[in-house]
Amino acid sequence: MTGRRSAHLPSQGPELGTAAPFFPQLGDLAADTTREGRVGVVVTLPGVDSATTYHLRPPGGGPAWSAPADGTTLRPVPVQATHITLLPGRDALYDPRARQGSVPVEIHFEDGSSREGALILTSAELERLYAQTSRLLTAHENAPGETS
């Protein structure tokens, strides 16, 4: 990732792990485990303006609800991936021992950040991808007004 944080990323930053307690800040998105993972925006913090609990509101608006001040029922909401692109200048590799291919990709997130990764494909998946990209290339070549 680029190090940029979305307004709804956990306040703890990249060091947040599965064992680290989650203490969201104002504006963070949090999933409330006591409400079947319902996601809300933190609108009030415990200890601020005489509040004794976290107050959350659905991202699109709606009635607020409370969560315990210790944050034990709240979980961070990760930034969602929006799309994946091929990494320029990097070739795909085939590993005959593992019988799979690896395509270098860049994963793009809704906050504008990105991360390098690999698309791992079995032999059957490689054949399926080949068939699908062949159909795309044919459609591209037959599209009116298209130039290569």
Side-chain angles (χ1 to χ4, degrees), residues 3 10 19-20 24 49 56 68 77 85 88-89 103 109 111 117 128 132 134 142 148:
D49 295 331
L56 297 96
V77 177
T85 56
V103 180
F109 298 94
D111 68 350
R128 195 168 120 221
Q132 291 174 356
S134 293
N142 295 330
S148 296

Side-chain angles (χ1 to χ4, degrees), residues 51-112:
T52 57
T53 61
Y54 283 98
H55 293 248
L56 297 96
R57 186 175 306 279
W65 74 91
S66 297
D70 62 6
T72 55
T73 67
L74 300 178
R75 300 290 179 268
V77 177
V79 177
Q80 298 296 307
T82 58
H83 63 285
I84 298 173
T85 56
L86 297 175
L87 275 173
R90 306 263 299 272
D91 278 338
L93 300 171
Y94 183 75
D95 181 349
R97 290 175 297 148
R99 301 184 58 114
Q100 61 188 20
S102 173
V103 180
V105 296
E106 185 169 9
I107 306 158
H108 302 267
F109 298 94
E110 64 185 6
D111 68 350

